[in-house]
Amino acid sequence: MPTARQALLDAALRALDGGPWCAVRMVDVAALAGVSRQTLHNEFGTKDGLAEALLRRAADGYLAGVDRALTAPAPDRPAAVALWTVRAARRDALVKALLTGHWAEGLPRPDRRPGSRGRTAAVRPPPTPEELLTLVRDRMAAATPGAADGRGEIALRLALSCVIVPVPGDDAADSRALRLVREASRPVVQGVVAQGPVVRSPAGLSARSPTAGDRSHR
């Protein structure tokens, strides 16, 4: 059975299904969750705090998927993480925005200005793209100790390329992305990471402008 916090976040996502975040009202979220508006404010503080909690949950869900991908046999782990990254970003626009730093119109956004929000103690700010990818790299390194051939970094960079310039389609696109990662991850010489088609961090990637198709958060 979901907790009150989970129910409120689920209600916020349902409200977001009906229109852009700027049009979502706290009173509507509380009504969808079947609680008072005061209960919602007690949990998240302000609407900004609710937005950050939604983004934090999206980041945590993505990282949980990374952990599941890393239970694959050791040689397949880089490709498994890459495939999960492509799938998660395509299915959830919040994950895509968290990974790339490019926010489609109508999505809740984090406010990085110090002291700009009255967060409750239960709300952690969502990670920046650099922080999120560092967490992924740390998990990949911990899952395969001593792996210094750079395949994980190559796979992650290729996955981000597919996230920013997605291939139309569903399972077929996943399969093509997976083949691309596996093939490109093989030719690594003495631990030197090939530069490939992806640059250092999401902030430096050449991304296309968000399209209307990016506005769906699922």
Side-chain angles (χ1 to χ4, degrees):
M1 183 175 179
T3 65
R5 183 180 182 84
Q6 291 170 335
L8 286 165
L9 290 173
D10 290 341
L13 285 179
R14 293 200 301 274
L16 185 58
D17 279 336
W21 183 248
C22 63
V24 173
R25 301 186 305 164
M26 295 287 273
V27 65
D28 295 332
V29 173
L32 284 171
V35 302
S36 68
R37 187 170 60 176
Q38 187 60 49
T39 299
L40 178 59
H41 282 289
N42 290 344
E43 188 68 43
F44 300 105
T46 64
K47 184 180 175 182
D48 289 337
L50 176 60
E52 291 202 332
L54 280 175
L55 296 172
R56 183 77 243 183
R57 187 169 76 162
D60 289 345
Y62 165 68
L63 290 172
V66 170
D67 290 337
R68 289 191 297 271
L70 289 171
T71 63
D76 296 332
R77 287 171 189 167
V81 171
L83 182 57
W84 164 246
T85 297
V86 172
R87 284 177 170 170
R90 190 178 66 236
R91 294 172 184 175
D92 190 335
L94 295 181
V95 172
K96 180 177 180 179
L98 287 163
L99 284 166
T100 64
H102 295 280
W103 297 85
E105 182 182 348
L107 294 180
R109 303 187 183 198
D111 190 339
R112 307 296 183 188
R113 295 174 298 175
S116 60
R117 295 192 172 183
R119 299 185 184 99
T120 66
V123 176
R124 293 175 294 155
T128 65
E130 291 79 8
E131 290 168 345
L132 184 57
L133 292 171
T134 295
L135 290 171
V136 175
R137 292 184 179 99
D138 289 346
R139 281 164 161 75
M140 294 173 76
T144 312
D149 61 3
R151 290 187 304 119
E153 182 69 14
I154 290 173
L156 189 55
R157 292 182 176 207
L158 285 169
L160 289 173
S161 287
C162 293
V163 167
I164 288 176
V165 187
V167 179
D170 295 316
D171 293 337
D174 286 341
S175 298
R176 287 194 293 273
L178 180 58
R179 285 198 300 271
L180 174 65
V181 169
R182 283 177 171 165
E183 290 300 320
S185 297
R186 288 174 181 171
V188 183
V189 180
Q190 295 181 350
V192 178
V193 179
Q195 292 304 305
V198 185
V199 294
R200 295 182 184 87
S201 72
L205 290 169
S206 298
R208 63 186 177 85
S209 299
T211 64
D214 292 325
R215 297 178 186 177
S216 172
H217 69 279
R218 289 183 175 176

